[in-house]
Every structure is written in structure tokens, then in C-alpha cells.
Amino acid sequence: MADFFSDLPEGFVAEALALTTPRDASRLSSVNSFFRSAAEWDSVWGSFVPPERLAKADGGPGSLKEMYLRLCDHPIIIEDGNKSFWLDKCTGKKCYMFAAKQLSIALVNSPNCWRWTSIPESRFTEVAELISVCSLEVSGKVNTSILSPNTTYAGHLVFKTTAEAYGFEYRPVEVCMGDSTNVRMVYLDPEAQNRRRLRSKRRIGIFGRLAFASYSEVPSPCEDNCPKQREDGWFEVEIGEYCYSMGGDEVEEVEISVMEVKRGNLKSGLIIQGIEIRPKNGV
């Protein structure tokens, strides 16, 4: 088998590898030295780099493989510092985070409700810190023209909470990505699962019950609806998913929202870095 492939022009094999995925190209490079050499060609990795990024490379230093890996491991800040962009390492699909500045946040310009602040852990210059509100309303829009086609994307709220945070214990918020029929409930309390065993020993007040048509509709904290800590130290919770298929010249705007407007309890201590969209489970 090795002799058969070694008789082929290396450029031919490189062209074939360019039709696969970054993960497949990397795996095939371990077959033998011939594949390894072909997998280093710029024509292979140039096919995985988005055209708009490739154009900006303009013959810069390093191979296109090195450029691809930089785009995977080091998100770049674009659009006046309000959005970050990177690539999923296995698939080469586009990923983004929209900074809090790019989101619509109700009462964000009221100093008694929110404040803009800078913290070193954020990739953006400013984050939004919740001072005190009764109704939480955060939303954004994603133009499908920036997404990788034929990809199922998941949206995630990326946030932290302060030591004095309150108002989110035992109280889920409504999140949605895309059609309004996709509304689900998640928790923004990083300790929600740890509090679960205490929940059965406490009664949620009558106003908490009246917020839903039925008390049974309040979901219990579990792995699927609770925040997960990221490698960068922030927390994230999945908002929903959207399947983007190549649709010719059709462009849509996908709405993403995080809301809690039914109960009227005061909330404080939420720090929003942004909303991240990336391929669902790397596909």
C-alpha cells in the first residue's frame, strides 16, 4: 500500500487531503513519511483557512498550517474590539464570541442597574456587570453570512458571578436561539447543582410558583441546564442550537436571548463577557 501511494505525485495527494478535514489530514499524516510530507503543503491548509483570513495573510511569515493552528489556539479580536474569531481545530469551522458591547441589554446605560468595567480575564476591553435589576433581558443577532455552511451551531452565554451575586439561586432563566419555539430554561448560578439536594427541603415562595403555569414546569438543576466552567476560568451555559445549511444567497439573522422577566425578584452580581457561537460538538 505504501509503495502504491509513493508512486503518486505528492501534489496529487496534497490535493486529495485538501478535500478532507483538518482532523483527517492530521491523522493521515501519521500513516507514513510520504503522507506526512504531503500534509505539510500550503495547498492543504489553505483550504481550511477562510478566504477572508487567507487574503490578509498576504505572504506573511510561517506556513499556512502554522497560520491555521494560530487561528485555532489564539482567537483574534475584530470589529473594533467587539467580536472575537477563531477556528475549531478539528473541523476548521468558524467560531465567534460577541462581546457584551455588541449585545442588547435592557437598562445597560442606567448606572443603578449595570456598569461597564474592565477585568484582566476578559478578551474584550469591557464587560457588563449587573448591579441590580428585576427583569433580565439580554439579546443579540447573528448574521448567517458569517457562519460555516452545513453546520449545527450552539450558542453559549459566557459569564462570571461576583461573590455578592444574588437572585439566581433556584431560579432558572429562559434562553432561546432561533425560533421562539426553542425556548428552554437554564440556571446562571454556578452552584445550582450543589444546591439541588437542599431544594427539596425548602419551599420556593408563592411568587416563584406563580411565574409558571405549573410549579412542575420549573426544571431541576442538572448537567444539561447548569453552567460549566471553561478552561479560561469563565462559566458558560448553552442557550440553544441552530442548524445553518448552505442556502444560496439567502441570509438570515438568528436571534439569541437570555431573559428572566416573570418573577420580579432583584438580581445582582452577573458579569457578562459575551455570547459565543461554535459548532455543536465539533460538527
Side-chain angles (χ1 to χ4, degrees):
M1 181 67 73
D3 291 338
F4 170 77
F5 284 112
S6 62
D7 290 336
L8 295 173
E10 191 171 282
F12 177 84
V13 176
E15 288 184 14
L17 291 176
L19 299 175
T20 65
T21 66
R23 176 167 44 196
D24 290 336
S26 297
R27 287 174 175 173
L28 288 169
S29 68
S30 64
V31 172
N32 55 42
S33 59
F34 179 70
F35 270 94
R36 186 159 50 251
S37 178
E40 294 296 319
W41 281 46
D42 273 354
S43 60
V44 175
W45 296 95
S47 67
F48 304 140
V49 177
E52 64 271 24
R53 292 292 124 199
L54 197 59
K56 292 184 178 182
D58 194 27
S63 67
L64 290 184
K65 180 179 181 180
E66 292 171 334
M67 177 186 181
Y68 175 83
L69 294 176
R70 283 197 302 272
L71 286 173
C72 293
D73 297 331
H74 304 286
I76 58 176
I77 306 300
I78 59 177
E79 296 192 13
D80 299 322
N82 291 324
K83 185 188 293 183
S84 66
F85 166 84
W86 69 102
L87 298 176
D88 179 79
K89 185 174 287 187
C90 292
T91 64
K93 305 283 189 178
K94 300 175 184 178
C95 306
Y96 299 91
M97 186 190 291
F98 298 84
K101 279 284 189 181
Q102 271 204 332
L103 304 177
S104 175
I105 303 176
L107 301 175
V108 74
N109 293 320
S110 173
N112 293 325
C113 299
W114 292 85
R115 73 176 180 126
W116 293 106
T117 185
S118 300
I119 57 177
E121 310 95 272
S122 174
R123 68 181 64 174
F124 302 113
T125 304
E126 291 184 299
V127 296
E129 181 178 345
L130 173 59
I131 305 302
S132 181
V133 297
C134 292
S135 296
L136 177 70
E137 300 179 65
V138 181
S139 62
K141 293 183 178 180
V142 180
N143 191 306
T144 57
S145 64
I146 70 173
L147 304 178
S148 296
N150 305 316
T151 303
T152 297
Y153 277 92
H156 301 81
L157 180 70
V158 181
F159 68 97
K160 284 190 173 191
T161 55
T162 66
E164 297 78 25
Y166 61 83
F168 297 102
E169 313 92 297
Y170 309 105
R171 302 173 184 271
V173 302
E174 293 185 351
V175 295
C176 181
M177 183 172 184
D179 192 278
S180 58
T181 60
N182 296 325
V183 174
R184 59 192 294 262
M185 293 181 185
V186 301
Y187 289 84
L188 300 185
D189 176 14
E191 297 297 321
Q193 284 185 279
N194 293 335
R195 302 184 204 273
R196 182 179 182 181
R197 57 186 175 82
L198 299 176
R199 186 180 182 186
S200 61
K201 300 179 182 179
R202 297 183 179 180
R203 294 184 60 195
I204 296 180
I206 187 171
F207 294 108
R209 291 171 179 259
L210 292 177
F212 300 91
S214 168
Y215 178 58
S216 62
E217 292 180 12
V218 180
S220 296
C222 64
E223 186 174 348
D224 291 337
N225 62 18
C226 286
K228 298 177 177 61
Q229 190 160 25
R230 298 154 50 102
E231 291 183 359
D232 59 10
W234 290 80
F235 288 92
E236 69 175 29
V237 66
E238 184 174 317
I239 298 172
E241 60 183 67
Y242 175 80
C243 183
Y244 175 55
S245 301
M246 179 73 84
D249 295 327
E250 295 181 5
V251 176
E252 297 180 346
E253 283 193 329
V254 181
E255 294 193 10
I256 304 177
S257 64
V258 179
M259 296 196 179
E260 203 297 282
V261 298
K262 294 180 178 179
R263 285 170 238 189
N265 65 297
L266 285 173
K267 308 168 188 64
S268 180
L270 182 70
I271 301 175
I272 298 177
Q273 180 174 193
I275 289 179
E276 182 173 294
I277 59 170
R278 60 180 189 262
K280 176 79 170 181
N281 298 325
V283 297

